[in-house]
Amino acid sequence: MVKTLTLYKRIVEELGLRQLDVYRVSDGKGGLKDVIRILDPTTNKVFTIDLGRIREAVKPLEFLEALVKASSENGVTLPERKVNELREAFSREEASEAS
């Protein structure tokens, strides 16, 4: 489990962002979800990512897409080349797991 959580934090850091904290809260349906606060050090903007479920249940590619979506909604620009590199790497990993 620790390895998985480190992966998500590493994704954030690879994109030049900082993970401030992770809150595990009720989703209102009797389950739990994670909400992550992220800092963009270049603009000093803080934004959140609501994963809708706990991180352990989210694949790395899904996490990356949620991060990209949340950052664009909050006016934070991510390095497109790095985002594409991570997408390709996680897509290959998911494809190899499926076969």
Side-chain angles (χ1 to χ4, degrees):
M1 181 170 89
V2 172
K3 182 178 176 184
T4 303
L5 300 181
T6 303
L7 173 64
Y8 296 119
K9 188 171 183 178
R10 198 175 83 221
I11 292 169
V12 170
E13 291 171 353
E14 287 275 333
L15 296 172
L17 305 171
R18 279 190 34 216
Q19 177 178 302
L20 297 176
D21 13 59
V22 179
Y23 298 98
R24 188 156 285 176
V25 297
S26 170
D27 66 1
K29 302 173 192 164
L32 297 173
K33 67 179 181 177
D34 284 352
V35 177
I36 305 167
R37 272 192 337 134
I38 304 288
L39 169 70
D40 177 12
T42 57
T43 62
N44 257 354
K45 284 188 177 182
V46 175
F47 62 96
T48 60
I49 305 169
D50 183 347
L51 293 177
R53 52 191 179 198
I54 61 173
R55 282 178 297 172
E56 294 88 343
V58 177
K59 292 182 181 180
L61 186 57
E62 291 176 284
F63 178 80
L64 175 63
E65 296 304 335
L67 178 57
V68 168
K69 180 181 178 193
S71 65
S72 74
E73 288 173 352
N74 288 281
V76 174
T77 305
L78 299 178
E80 195 62 37
R81 176 181 278 174
K82 190 51 126 169
V83 169
N84 289 334
E85 286 175 10
L86 290 170
R87 276 186 182 132
E88 288 175 23
F90 293 132
S91 294
R92 281 194 305 267
E93 188 177 300
E94 285 184 13
S96 69
E97 288 175 1
S99 55

